[in-house]
Amino acid sequence: MKIAIAQLNPTIGDLANNAQQILNAAKIASENNVRLLLTPELSLCGYPPRDLLLNPSFIESMANVLQQLAQNLPPNIAVLVGTVEPNSKAHVAGGKPLFNSIAWLENGQLQQIFHKRLLPTYDVFDEYRYFEPGLQANAFTLDNLHIGVTICEDLWNDEEFWGKRSYAINPIVDLAQLDVNFIVNLSASPYRVGKHKLRESMLRHSASRFNKPIVYANQVGGNDDLIFDGCSFALNRTGEVVSRAFAFETDLVLIEFDEEKRDLIPANSSSLRGEGKISPLPETEDEEIWGALVLGVRDYARKCGFSKVVIGLSGGIDSALVAAIASSALGSENVFGILMPSPYSSDHSIKDALELAENLGIATEILPIGDLMTGYDKTLEKVFADTSFGLAEENIQSRIRGNLLMAIANKFGYLLLSTGNKSEMAVGYCTLYGDMNGGLAVIADVPKTRVYSLCNWLNAEGLGTGEQKNANLSSIRQEIIPTNIISKPPSAELKPGQVDQDSLPDYDILDDILQRLIHEHQSSAQIIAAGHDATVVNRVMQLVARAEFKRRQAPPGIKITDRAFGTGWRMPIASRWAVNN
Amino acid sequence: MKIAIAQLNPTIGDLANNAQQILNAAKIASENNVRLLLTPELSLCGYPPRDLLLNPSFIESMANVLQQLAQNLPPNIAVLVGTVEPNSKAHVAGGKPLFNSIAWLENGQLQQIFHKRLLPTYDVFDEYRYFEPGLQANAFTLDNLHIGVTICEDLWNDEEFWGKRSYAINPIVDLAQLDVNFIVNLSASPYRVGKHKLRESMLRHSASRFNKPIVYANQVGGNDDLIFDGCSFALNRTGEVVSRAFAFETDLVLIEFDEEKRDLIPANSSSLRGEGKISPLPETEDEEIWGALVLGVRDYARKCGFSKVVIGLSGGIDSALVAAIASSALGSENVFGILMPSPYSSDHSIKDALELAENLGIATEILPIGDLMTGYDKTLEKVFADTSFGLAEENIQSRIRGNLLMAIANKFGYLLLSTGNKSEMAVGYCTLYGDMNGGLAVIADVPKTRVYSLCNWLNAEGLGTGEQKNANLSSIRQEIIPTNIISKPPSAELKPGQVDQDSLPDYDILDDILQRLIHEHQSSAQIIAAGHDATVVNRVMQLVARAEFKRRQAPPGIKITDRAFGTGWRMPIASRWAVNN
């Protein structure tokens, strides 16, 4: 039996176009004699649909579009489509009104529906908000083959692999008892660094533990803060990868269930892109993160209806990296860099920013803000009498720049990209309504030390070659980020001679403290015991707690770590914990 | 048996001070021969603690503070304290690492722990993110009385009252079978209009259905976007209210379980404030909402460490209402109004704003923004060449004002209050990084028609009398909001002659459409069938969808309805649903 994974990139809520994507994949698959086509979790509405699921008319539309899709599919192909199914017993038995389901479509109609059994409610996941868990093992028979169906989290409870249980049941145990021939998993698994490796090693463990081949179909694409990296794959019963789809791109991958061997093998026809082959995973974390960020910018812009972006270019490393990402994502002709020097700006900041723009091939404008600074000083003269220059005046500069950037974005219909990194967002070293302005915070989950690493990788890599890299940068010369941008001490340049390390510990120290605090949930005692200075640790913890009000008002930031300041970060603002402790 | 409800106002995470509040209440109760003291759900850490619960050191601290509290309590009083308890079997059996629990403290130690059984995961609630549900009925025996213990949601599944089940089990059924003498419910139930009436009628139904007296102890206070209204109460077995605590204030209320009657009765000693009495509920929805908003501003400022606030006064009704609320919450001497007229501002806008400030007794400054507008025009002259005045220029004005307000807030350590109403926030008739700026969006959940109603109520009521009203306004003359502010057509005054209804339908029409769309989840077809113009309905739906990016970056707004644009509103931004449909 020939099986295909459609690694699709749906737009949330765009039911008609998402159905069309599924239909297109089914047609190509059918032409290649595919018998079973897999699509990602909730492929009809895109994942995560969030509170759109609370609209009864949205649920009705999904049912209608699903029925229409079933009728339009080519003959002789079974298609598994991710959708939701009303829980008809909810009001009587108690329970949530929907199931997160997979519909088996064939012969013009819905043949069977399967419900997700394990519902994640951690980090960015809120599935219990909408869904009732399914209670039964999901399997069906197609041409004498018995196929187990699981949805994303259903396969994330292998207590042998994790060393603990997260849920009382493990659906794969039930499927093994049903003696299925192979198991499919339809997923929408958000990206973080190394996630594809984790998925493969987890499912390799499950495949060999239960002696069952597994086909894993993942969503691809950026949806607000979440990136779905694709990297779908198929494992044989010993846990070997027999096929793998691209990272960060749509794909259609064929595999075959060999009925003699009773196992999955690569498909042997060759008319499809990527068919039968094992796409390589990104080689380094930097390459991987770069791919995620480029996809995140491209999809956010496209799905929100923007083709062009504007970025404030300070001459610093953060805005340089964001400009490079945007150029790769959208083409340098669609990126506009605005330089807004103040009297406190260094000469090199203009020179560096212009050199970067030239390297990237992006257009720039220079809008000095000195006169506007004077204008605010005059307007506030009486109110600010007898006070001295401080944070308020620094913030005014940042907010002048934010206003100019938004004016250009509003005037020409551009998307403003903000350029703050995670280290800044963590300690509040950023200006709300100033440099935090933007529709998307491209590197808000990228620590400063990783910003450096990405820029060095970019300069070494040079881009322009390889399937993973975008053709838009092919004409760019080797060193994209000017050396001086990487080597000079980072500075907000909001007062004369200012550098970041006047206010903050060195970034390697800061990022290590933040990693322990945010990702590893360590206490101050534990962080100090790891060798950090107590005063520094306590100050950083206070800064992180006090910056919560800024983060609450930040744009969505592309998530690349296991704990981003986004939908998976839910902290009170008016709180005393970290301030006291 | 004498029982007391401590209607407390904890600060999230401030364990030592929250424990002190409990201890203080226990001492007073003990002096009044109270045998059993009730405190709200999670009274030790405050509700909702959100992701603070992910820190192991936070959980450890709670255990330590709880133990210390047990040792400090006076003798001969049993105290029920809201806390969390680790789920020791989580890793083996699968499940969340914590329970949402009630600790029975007495004789210097923890006597017994009870776990919440029904975990809400709708609207603002994320309890399954942190907690495992308890599986057993909770009851204990004190002085021969058998007492059933429930935690908030545990009593929200009376299928007779709701006409449907939300959960498979109903804990009160189990308690009735155990034949408890009375049931306590420890809650942190967020406010929305009419919520206290709903709670009482729901529990009156349960009390009489099961023939069990119920004591309902609720949290009070503002925690970010959520207001807890208090209004704790006790019902006898026929469902009659025998005692009720204040709305929007801390309180300590005594009741008595009469062992002859086997029922709850008002306590007959009289040394405590509010003792034995039934506090009246607010008489009108306006009075109730006013109380919620005043408490929300007072607590957000206090718990974040601010004593003074700054507000942009436009001469319009929204900023007038916010200034009145802030004056009541913090005292007019702590409220600063900034007038920022532009060349497009009408004469009456200054006059009206100054008259309002005089009525409220708040200080003002006038900072004209014309020169800064010219400054931006000049700075952008080349970039904006050959374009005409439009939204970009309107937004610049709003962002100049936002920058000035933040400069003053930053310089003097004031909290900036933003003044946008819910109707504006819904359709995006507001400027991100401009008039949306602020630490708290006071009326972001108040529709424009309700803004008028509140102002009229305020003018009629006159304040200065009654326990619900704040003494700070006692010297204010009758008509607080100048008549002209209420009667003139609303306008953003961002271009000559502009009024809101150039861009939006009349507010009574808009608010009705929004009510149907946002609160009742109606489809466009349903809203049109209700009598609204199809073009208007579809335009409003598109505006609402397109403004999602603004709402995502809005400050926390005080929730007063069943569906606010806050932690309980989880919408995708890059989405096509409402735009297509």
mmCIF file of all heavy atoms in Angstrom, chain B residues 321-350:
data_model
loop_
_atom_site.group_PDB
_atom_site.id
_atom_site.type_symbol
_atom_site.label_atom_id
_atom_site.label_comp_id
_atom_site.label_asym_id
_atom_site.label_seq_id
_atom_site.Cartn_x
_atom_site.Cartn_y
_atom_site.Cartn_z
ATOM 1 N N LEU B 321 -14.975 59.751 32.337
ATOM 2 C CA LEU B 321 -15.379 58.647 33.220
ATOM 3 C C LEU B 321 -14.168 58.055 33.937
ATOM 4 O O LEU B 321 -14.207 57.804 35.146
ATOM 5 C CB LEU B 321 -16.120 57.571 32.421
ATOM 6 C CG LEU B 321 -16.537 56.324 33.206
ATOM 7 C CD1 LEU B 321 -17.476 56.666 34.362
ATOM 8 C CD2 LEU B 321 -17.193 55.290 32.281
ATOM 9 N N VAL B 322 -13.081 57.850 33.185
ATOM 10 C CA VAL B 322 -11.884 57.252 33.794
ATOM 11 C C VAL B 322 -11.319 58.172 34.885
ATOM 12 O O VAL B 322 -10.908 57.708 35.954
ATOM 13 C CB VAL B 322 -10.817 56.939 32.713
ATOM 14 C CG1 VAL B 322 -9.501 56.525 33.355
ATOM 15 C CG2 VAL B 322 -11.328 55.843 31.784
ATOM 16 N N ALA B 323 -11.343 59.479 34.628
ATOM 17 C CA ALA B 323 -10.842 60.408 35.646
ATOM 18 C C ALA B 323 -11.709 60.357 36.903
ATOM 19 O O ALA B 323 -11.202 60.426 38.028
ATOM 20 C CB ALA B 323 -10.800 61.831 35.077
ATOM 21 N N ALA B 324 -13.011 60.214 36.722
ATOM 22 C CA ALA B 324 -13.906 60.128 37.887
ATOM 23 C C ALA B 324 -13.654 58.838 38.668
ATOM 24 O O ALA B 324 -13.597 58.844 39.901
ATOM 25 C CB ALA B 324 -15.368 60.203 37.436
ATOM 26 N N ILE B 325 -13.488 57.732 37.943
ATOM 27 C CA ILE B 325 -13.204 56.449 38.601
ATOM 28 C C ILE B 325 -11.889 56.528 39.378
ATOM 29 O O ILE B 325 -11.803 56.121 40.545
ATOM 30 C CB ILE B 325 -13.133 55.316 37.548
ATOM 31 C CG1 ILE B 325 -14.502 55.079 36.912
ATOM 32 C CG2 ILE B 325 -12.583 54.029 38.163
ATOM 33 C CD1 ILE B 325 -14.464 54.271 35.620
ATOM 34 N N ALA B 326 -10.866 57.088 38.721
ATOM 35 C CA ALA B 326 -9.552 57.187 39.361
ATOM 36 C C ALA B 326 -9.612 58.086 40.594
ATOM 37 O O ALA B 326 -8.983 57.795 41.619
ATOM 38 C CB ALA B 326 -8.520 57.705 38.362
ATOM 39 N N SER B 327 -10.370 59.162 40.525
ATOM 40 C CA SER B 327 -10.487 60.060 41.674
ATOM 41 C C SER B 327 -11.147 59.347 42.842
ATOM 42 O O SER B 327 -10.744 59.504 43.999
ATOM 43 C CB SER B 327 -11.309 61.298 41.294
ATOM 44 O OG SER B 327 -10.689 61.992 40.237
ATOM 45 N N SER B 328 -12.142 58.554 42.532
ATOM 46 C CA SER B 328 -12.811 57.807 43.583
ATOM 47 C C SER B 328 -11.896 56.725 44.160
ATOM 48 O O SER B 328 -11.880 56.485 45.363
ATOM 49 C CB SER B 328 -14.095 57.182 43.030
ATOM 50 O OG SER B 328 -14.750 56.445 44.019
ATOM 51 N N ALA B 329 -11.102 56.113 43.284
ATOM 52 C CA ALA B 329 -10.252 55.007 43.716
ATOM 53 C C ALA B 329 -9.066 55.478 44.544
ATOM 54 O O ALA B 329 -8.686 54.820 45.516
ATOM 55 C CB ALA B 329 -9.750 54.228 42.498
ATOM 56 N N LEU B 330 -8.458 56.589 44.138
ATOM 57 C CA LEU B 330 -7.161 56.966 44.707
ATOM 58 C C LEU B 330 -7.161 58.323 45.391
ATOM 59 O O LEU B 330 -6.151 58.710 45.982
ATOM 60 C CB LEU B 330 -6.099 56.962 43.595
ATOM 61 C CG LEU B 330 -5.969 55.638 42.828
ATOM 62 C CD1 LEU B 330 -5.137 55.826 41.576
ATOM 63 C CD2 LEU B 330 -5.366 54.552 43.714
ATOM 64 N N GLY B 331 -8.270 59.055 45.283
ATOM 65 C CA GLY B 331 -8.306 60.423 45.798
ATOM 66 C C GLY B 331 -7.925 61.395 44.697
ATOM 67 O O GLY B 331 -6.944 61.164 43.970
ATOM 68 N N SER B 332 -8.666 62.467 44.565
ATOM 69 C CA SER B 332 -8.427 63.360 43.425
ATOM 70 C C SER B 332 -7.047 64.007 43.485
ATOM 71 O O SER B 332 -6.493 64.385 42.461
ATOM 72 C CB SER B 332 -9.525 64.417 43.313
ATOM 73 O OG SER B 332 -9.947 64.831 44.577
ATOM 74 N N GLU B 333 -6.459 64.089 44.692
ATOM 75 C CA GLU B 333 -5.112 64.662 44.794
ATOM 76 C C GLU B 333 -4.059 63.756 44.161
ATOM 77 O O GLU B 333 -2.928 64.173 43.948
ATOM 78 C CB GLU B 333 -4.763 64.943 46.260
ATOM 79 C CG GLU B 333 -4.539 63.717 47.138
ATOM 80 C CD GLU B 333 -5.818 63.034 47.612
ATOM 81 O OE1 GLU B 333 -6.914 63.363 47.094
ATOM 82 O OE2 GLU B 333 -5.729 62.154 48.483
ATOM 83 N N ASN B 334 -4.426 62.539 43.828
ATOM 84 C CA ASN B 334 -3.479 61.599 43.219
ATOM 85 C C ASN B 334 -3.725 61.381 41.730
ATOM 86 O O ASN B 334 -3.171 60.455 41.141
ATOM 87 C CB ASN B 334 -3.531 60.264 43.961
ATOM 88 C CG ASN B 334 -2.988 60.392 45.369
ATOM 89 O OD1 ASN B 334 -1.939 61.010 45.569
ATOM 90 N ND2 ASN B 334 -3.705 59.859 46.334
ATOM 91 N N VAL B 335 -4.575 62.214 41.156
ATOM 92 C CA VAL B 335 -4.920 62.073 39.744
ATOM 93 C C VAL B 335 -4.479 63.331 38.996
ATOM 94 O O VAL B 335 -4.807 64.442 39.415
ATOM 95 C CB VAL B 335 -6.442 61.858 39.573
ATOM 96 C CG1 VAL B 335 -6.795 61.716 38.093
ATOM 97 C CG2 VAL B 335 -6.904 60.639 40.362
ATOM 98 N N PHE B 336 -3.717 63.132 37.910
ATOM 99 C CA PHE B 336 -3.270 64.268 37.114
ATOM 100 C C PHE B 336 -3.847 64.156 35.716
ATOM 101 O O PHE B 336 -3.692 63.128 35.063
ATOM 102 C CB PHE B 336 -1.743 64.319 37.075
ATOM 103 C CG PHE B 336 -1.168 64.590 38.420
ATOM 104 C CD1 PHE B 336 -0.967 63.560 39.332
ATOM 105 C CD2 PHE B 336 -0.922 65.899 38.833
ATOM 106 C CE1 PHE B 336 -0.502 63.809 40.614
ATOM 107 C CE2 PHE B 336 -0.452 66.156 40.117
ATOM 108 C CZ PHE B 336 -0.238 65.101 41.002
ATOM 109 N N GLY B 337 -4.497 65.208 35.289
ATOM 110 C CA GLY B 337 -5.094 65.232 33.961
ATOM 111 C C GLY B 337 -4.248 66.068 33.018
ATOM 112 O O GLY B 337 -3.866 67.185 33.345
ATOM 113 N N ILE B 338 -3.912 65.495 31.870
ATOM 114 C CA ILE B 338 -3.102 66.220 30.899
ATOM 115 C C ILE B 338 -3.965 66.527 29.673
ATOM 116 O O ILE B 338 -4.515 65.606 29.066
ATOM 117 C CB ILE B 338 -1.863 65.404 30.475
ATOM 118 C CG1 ILE B 338 -1.114 64.843 31.697
ATOM 119 C CG2 ILE B 338 -0.936 66.247 29.606
ATOM 120 C CD1 ILE B 338 -0.510 65.890 32.611
ATOM 121 N N LEU B 339 -4.085 67.793 29.336
ATOM 122 C CA LEU B 339 -4.818 68.203 28.143
ATOM 123 C C LEU B 339 -3.803 68.445 27.035
ATOM 124 O O LEU B 339 -2.831 69.178 27.226
ATOM 125 C CB LEU B 339 -5.608 69.490 28.395
ATOM 126 C CG LEU B 339 -6.856 69.407 29.281
ATOM 127 C CD1 LEU B 339 -6.529 69.105 30.726
ATOM 128 C CD2 LEU B 339 -7.662 70.710 29.154
ATOM 129 N N MET B 340 -4.007 67.863 25.862
ATOM 130 C CA MET B 340 -3.034 67.979 24.772
ATOM 131 C C MET B 340 -3.724 68.398 23.483
ATOM 132 O O MET B 340 -3.849 67.622 22.535
ATOM 133 C CB MET B 340 -2.291 66.645 24.608
ATOM 134 C CG MET B 340 -1.429 66.306 25.831
ATOM 135 S SD MET B 340 -0.880 64.584 25.875
ATOM 136 C CE MET B 340 -2.420 63.793 26.290
ATOM 137 N N PRO B 341 -4.181 69.654 23.455
ATOM 138 C CA PRO B 341 -4.948 70.104 22.286
ATOM 139 C C PRO B 341 -4.094 70.185 21.025
ATOM 140 O O PRO B 341 -2.897 70.463 21.089
ATOM 141 C CB PRO B 341 -5.436 71.484 22.704
ATOM 142 C CG PRO B 341 -4.465 71.936 23.737
ATOM 143 C CD PRO B 341 -4.023 70.702 24.466
ATOM 144 N N SER B 342 -4.732 69.901 19.902
ATOM 145 C CA SER B 342 -4.098 70.072 18.588
ATOM 146 C C SER B 342 -4.866 71.162 17.855
ATOM 147 O O SER B 342 -5.898 71.629 18.335
ATOM 148 C CB SER B 342 -4.196 68.767 17.806
ATOM 149 O OG SER B 342 -5.479 68.667 17.201
ATOM 150 N N PRO B 343 -4.393 71.557 16.691
ATOM 151 C CA PRO B 343 -5.171 72.520 15.895
ATOM 152 C C PRO B 343 -6.559 71.993 15.529
ATOM 153 O O PRO B 343 -7.431 72.771 15.160
ATOM 154 C CB PRO B 343 -4.308 72.706 14.642
ATOM 155 C CG PRO B 343 -2.916 72.371 15.077
ATOM 156 C CD PRO B 343 -3.072 71.298 16.112
ATOM 157 N N TYR B 344 -6.762 70.682 15.600
ATOM 158 C CA TYR B 344 -8.087 70.127 15.269
ATOM 159 C C TYR B 344 -9.000 70.046 16.483
ATOM 160 O O TYR B 344 -10.151 69.644 16.377
ATOM 161 C CB TYR B 344 -7.938 68.731 14.657
ATOM 162 C CG TYR B 344 -6.990 68.681 13.491
ATOM 163 C CD1 TYR B 344 -5.975 67.731 13.431
ATOM 164 C CD2 TYR B 344 -7.099 69.595 12.435
ATOM 165 C CE1 TYR B 344 -5.100 67.680 12.362
ATOM 166 C CE2 TYR B 344 -6.213 69.552 11.367
ATOM 167 C CZ TYR B 344 -5.215 68.601 11.338
ATOM 168 O OH TYR B 344 -4.347 68.561 10.285
ATOM 169 N N SER B 345 -8.462 70.361 17.651
ATOM 170 C CA SER B 345 -9.286 70.278 18.856
ATOM 171 C C SER B 345 -10.304 71.412 18.856
ATOM 172 O O SER B 345 -9.990 72.552 18.484
ATOM 173 C CB SER B 345 -8.415 70.390 20.112
ATOM 174 O OG SER B 345 -7.507 69.321 20.173
ATOM 175 N N SER B 346 -11.509 71.085 19.267
ATOM 176 C CA SER B 346 -12.545 72.125 19.356
ATOM 177 C C SER B 346 -12.308 72.960 20.617
ATOM 178 O O SER B 346 -11.653 72.512 21.559
ATOM 179 C CB SER B 346 -13.913 71.460 19.413
ATOM 180 O OG SER B 346 -13.942 70.568 20.501
ATOM 181 N N ASP B 347 -12.841 74.170 20.610
ATOM 182 C CA ASP B 347 -12.730 75.017 21.805
ATOM 183 C C ASP B 347 -13.350 74.330 23.013
ATOM 184 O O ASP B 347 -12.811 74.358 24.110
ATOM 185 C CB ASP B 347 -13.461 76.350 21.561
ATOM 186 C CG ASP B 347 -12.751 77.168 20.503
ATOM 187 O OD1 ASP B 347 -11.557 76.887 20.238
ATOM 188 O OD2 ASP B 347 -13.385 78.075 19.929
ATOM 189 N N HIS B 348 -14.512 73.699 22.762
ATOM 190 C CA HIS B 348 -15.217 73.113 23.912
ATOM 191 C C HIS B 348 -14.448 71.954 24.524
ATOM 192 O O HIS B 348 -14.648 71.628 25.687
ATOM 193 C CB HIS B 348 -16.638 72.696 23.525
ATOM 194 C CG HIS B 348 -16.703 71.638 22.464
ATOM 195 N ND1 HIS B 348 -16.409 70.321 22.693
ATOM 196 C CD2 HIS B 348 -17.033 71.708 21.145
ATOM 197 C CE1 HIS B 348 -16.553 69.630 21.589
ATOM 198 N NE2 HIS B 348 -16.924 70.453 20.618
ATOM 199 N N SER B 349 -13.550 71.316 23.763
ATOM 200 C CA SER B 349 -12.861 70.159 24.344
ATOM 201 C C SER B 349 -11.981 70.592 25.521
ATOM 202 O O SER B 349 -11.900 69.900 26.532
ATOM 203 C CB SER B 349 -12.056 69.390 23.279
ATOM 204 O OG SER B 349 -10.957 70.140 22.849
ATOM 205 N N ILE B 350 -11.300 71.718 25.379
ATOM 206 C CA ILE B 350 -10.500 72.244 26.491
ATOM 207 C C ILE B 350 -11.410 72.679 27.639
ATOM 208 O O ILE B 350 -11.191 72.320 28.802
ATOM 209 C CB ILE B 350 -9.677 73.479 26.029
ATOM 210 C CG1 ILE B 350 -8.763 73.116 24.867
ATOM 211 C CG2 ILE B 350 -8.890 74.076 27.182
ATOM 212 C CD1 ILE B 350 -7.636 72.223 25.239
#
